[in-house]
Amino acid sequence: MLDSARIKGTWCIVTGYLGALPYMNSGQLLDLEGRGHEICAHTRTHPPLTELSEFQMRNEIKGSRDDLFGFGIQTVATFAYPFGDYDDTTDRIVRELGFSGARTSDGGYNTKQDNRYLLKRRDASVSTSASTIKSWIDKATQDKLWLIINFHRI
């Protein structure tokens, strides 16, 4: 559907789930990247990162990107915090690992001045109307804001 509308998405992948039903497999993931969609690291097992030691955090964050490269993904530039769970340590690790940005679960819009490692989003679910999503897009366009819409389990 996205391709037919000439829209590209960012797919945040928990690498430990790859290939298990109902999740996609590595072939599907490679196909998405080949069609121009972004592949984003989202940890290996989707834990609340702030409950882990720094060593475990690094294993989840860096490990997920390493796993994606191992599956053949060419570019993994961004990261998404599971449950939006972040703190100063997770922010520092993501920066040190060279990611270009990271998405939280904090609601809202983003500006050029915002911390690109703590990007906000708007959540769309099966009950979110098209008119609501259009109003988000209209506001972002009018106010020159960056809007990230998160479609989760749709």
Side-chain angles (χ1 to χ4, degrees):
M1 289 174 51
L2 291 175
D3 287 341
S4 66
R6 294 184 293 183
I7 297 171
K8 300 303 177 192
T10 299
W11 300 79
C12 301
I13 305 299
V14 177
T15 57
Y17 297 172
L18 205 59
L21 293 176
Y23 302 99
M24 69 179 76
N25 61 43
S26 59
Q28 292 167 318
L29 195 59
L30 289 166
D31 179 60
L32 282 171
E33 184 184 45
R35 289 185 283 128
H37 295 270
E38 178 188 10
I39 306 303
C40 165
H42 194 38
T43 70
R44 284 180 155 162
T45 64
H46 205 268
L49 291 171
T50 61
E51 296 177 11
L52 304 179
S53 70
E54 184 169 340
F55 175 82
Q56 292 169 314
M57 285 180 195
R58 282 186 184 279
N59 180 56
E60 287 286 341
I61 297 167
K62 182 180 184 301
S64 65
R65 184 174 60 187
D66 291 347
D67 292 346
L68 290 167
F69 287 144
F71 292 128
I73 298 300
Q74 298 298 304
T75 303
V76 184
T78 58
F79 181 78
Y81 299 103
F83 310 106
D85 186 46
Y86 65 90
D87 60 15
D88 291 341
T89 304
T90 56
D91 180 44
R92 178 177 47 80
I93 291 169
V94 168
R95 289 169 186 263
E96 287 173 359
L97 291 173
F99 287 96
S100 62
R103 183 187 47 75
T104 70
S105 292
D106 297 341
Y109 299 85
N110 300 284
T111 69
K112 289 180 181 180
Q113 293 75 36
D114 287 339
N115 180 345
R116 69 179 190 241
Y117 295 95
L118 299 176
L119 295 172
K120 297 177 281 292
R121 70 181 195 195
R122 299 298 305 247
D123 282 324
S125 69
V126 295
S127 62
T128 307
S129 69
S131 63
T132 296
I133 294 172
K134 183 181 181 314
S135 73
W136 298 342
I137 295 168
D138 291 344
K139 177 177 176 46
T141 302
Q142 175 184 324
D143 297 344
K144 297 182 178 13
L145 300 169
W146 178 10
L147 169 62
I148 298 171
I149 303 174
N150 182 62
F151 294 92
H152 198 258
R153 296 184 182 197
I154 293 181

